Amino acid sequence: MISEIDVMQIIVYAGNAKSLAMNAINEAKKGKIVEAKKMLEESKSNLKIAHQQHTDILQKFANNPDEPANMFLTHAQDHMMAAITATDFTKEMIDLHEEIQKLRILIKGKS
């Protein structure tokens, strides 16, 4: 039987992952690239936990095809997918801000 606690774990860890990803972008915008990368890694760690919980639930469904799915699980999956997308885009944003910083330093060195 899949409990609400099982499903809630996905929501909690995916929510943490998304929040950390968004905070990482803000840190990168401030030029704090090292801090942003640390937050991104923490985001990925939370996402990994959410994903493992999701995998465990899917295994329960595989072992018991009569297990009813519910909207709460769909909601949790939506949170996880949003967190995955946020984390993926955050890496790109951090990389862009890092390149911008390097260009600024290069331009200052030439003036």
Side-chain angles (χ1 to χ4, degrees), residues 10 18-19 28 40 53 61 64 68-69 71-72 92 94 106-107 109 111:
I10 297 171
K18 186 178 173 192
S19 292
L40 179 58
Q53 186 66 27
F61 276 117
N64 184 8
M71 289 302 293
F72 193 46
E92 297 303 318
I94 290 170
L106 184 64
I107 290 168
S111 32

Side-chain angles (χ1 to χ4, degrees), residues 8 21 23-24 27 29 39 46-47 49 52 66 76 78 94:
M8 196 63 196
N23 288 335
E27 290 301 302
K29 284 169 51 175
M39 284 184 174
N46 275 267
L47 192 53
I49 295 168
Q52 183 58 55
D66 296 327
D78 184 49
I94 290 170

